[in-house]
Amino acid sequence: MIVAEIVISLLLVIGGLFALVGSYGLIKLPDLMSRLHAPTKATTVGVGSCLLASIGYFMLTEQRVSVHELIITLFLFLTAPITASMVAKTFLHRNDRVKGDLPPTNGETGWATYDPAPGLKDADAGARKPRDASV
């Protein structure tokens, strides 16, 4: 019982530290692409650690597995990377100066968000072009 309580306490402390670091990074990092990493990585690990602590607590005190935490974890791990990808893609298309700073891919195709997929015709690619950022 004591060991389980220590493990749960450590998970809560670790989760709190990761959430704190993620929040600090969100405030202090210089641009959107840098700031995107802090909440998506550190805070996800922090919340995941707190959810594991909650699962352990309910297993210890009520001898049952709490499904709520598992559903929250699944939702968090599905939505955080998708949201981060959409925010990053929007940032890339809204800032043309970023496109010129990207390194070459050294492959057959360029960056997936800008260039059409191999085999896609130019006319099809025109439908995928982003809107003008100045509008």
Side-chain angles (χ1 to χ4, degrees):
M1 185 89 167
I2 297 292
V3 173
E5 290 173 347
I6 291 172
V7 169
I8 290 171
S9 299
L10 283 175
L11 284 172
L12 286 173
V13 170
I14 290 169
L17 287 175
F18 270 98
L20 180 67
V21 168
S23 301
Y24 183 76
L26 183 65
I27 293 170
K28 288 295 184 182
L29 290 174
D31 59 10
L32 185 126
M33 294 302 274
S34 299
R35 273 186 243 141
L36 199 57
H37 286 280
T40 56
K41 307 294 185 291
T43 307
T44 300
V45 173
V47 171
S49 181
C50 289
L51 290 171
L52 285 175
S54 179
I55 290 171
Y57 174 77
F58 283 111
M59 284 179 68
L60 186 67
T61 59
E62 297 181 9
Q63 282 79 37
R64 67 176 176 89
V65 175
S66 177
V67 178
H68 298 98
E69 287 84 0
L70 294 174
I71 293 172
I72 293 170
T73 303
L74 179 68
F75 180 76
L76 180 71
F77 287 160
L78 286 177
T79 58
I82 293 170
T83 303
S85 175
M86 297 302 287
V87 169
K89 228 172 178 178
T90 302
F91 176 78
L92 290 173
H93 284 278
R94 301 267 317 166
N95 295 296
D96 285 337
R97 66 174 177 76
V98 174
K99 185 177 180 181
D101 295 339
L102 294 174
T105 60
N106 296 329
E108 185 178 318
T109 61
W111 287 82
T113 192
Y114 293 117
D115 297 334
L120 191 63
K121 296 177 184 174
D122 287 338
D124 295 336
R128 294 182 46 194
K129 285 188 177 175
R131 292 185 341 191
D132 185 12
S134 63
V135 176

